[in-house]
């Protein structure tokens, strides 16, 4: 199968759309706040873990050429370098 090249912006847009249209309601619970949800933008599969590393590995095993995107649950940024991450409430 030939891969279709997508821009970083398109990958992010698709992941955020999947997150808002169903994944958020399933994962945004108190015990997951601050964890990473990794989303395969082509299949809609996702996994949650503390750093996203194991979730990425698991999804890559399921779909060898998966296009993955990570979102920190409950926050509007995944990481902060010297700044403050603010909690998002919806």
């Amino acid at each position: 199968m030939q891969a279709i090249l997508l821009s970083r912006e398109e990958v992010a847009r698709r992941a955020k759309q999947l997150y808002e249209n169903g994944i958020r309601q399933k994962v945004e619970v108190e015990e997951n706040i601050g964890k990473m949800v990794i989303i395969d933008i082509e299949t809609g599969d996702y996994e949650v873990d503390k750093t996203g590393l194991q979730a990425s590995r698991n999804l890559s095993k399921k779909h060898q050429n998966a296009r993955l995107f990570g979102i920190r649950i409950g926050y509007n940024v995944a990481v902060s370098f010297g700044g403050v991450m603010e909690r998002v409430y919806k």
Side-chain angles (χ1 to χ4, degrees):
M1 180 186 328
Q2 185 176 14
I4 298 172
L5 295 178
L6 299 175
S7 68
R8 289 178 291 186
E9 293 81 11
E10 179 62 13
V11 171
R13 186 194 68 73
R14 289 184 184 190
K16 290 174 184 175
Q17 183 177 34
L18 287 165
Y19 186 73
E20 293 299 331
N21 293 333
I23 296 172
R24 177 191 292 274
Q25 293 81 9
K26 296 173 186 171
V27 301
E28 202 161 292
V29 295
E30 194 59 38
E31 64 266 15
N32 285 340
I33 300 300
K35 292 181 181 177
M36 294 292 292
V37 59
I38 307 300
I39 303 167
D40 180 335
I41 66 156
E42 293 178 342
T43 66
D45 288 351
Y46 65 92
E47 291 209 16
V48 173
D49 75 11
K50 186 175 179 178
T51 65
L53 292 175
Q54 191 58 50
S56 296
R57 289 180 186 126
N58 293 345
L59 289 170
S60 292
K61 284 180 187 176
K62 287 182 189 178
H63 309 285
Q64 186 177 13
N65 296 315
R67 295 173 198 217
L68 306 177
F69 189 85
I71 296 173
R72 184 157 314 273
I73 299 169
Y75 291 86
N76 60 354
V77 295
V79 296
S80 175
F81 298 102
V84 177
M85 292 184 3
E86 293 186 26
R87 175 83 165 83
V88 175
Y89 298 95
K90 288 197 178 189

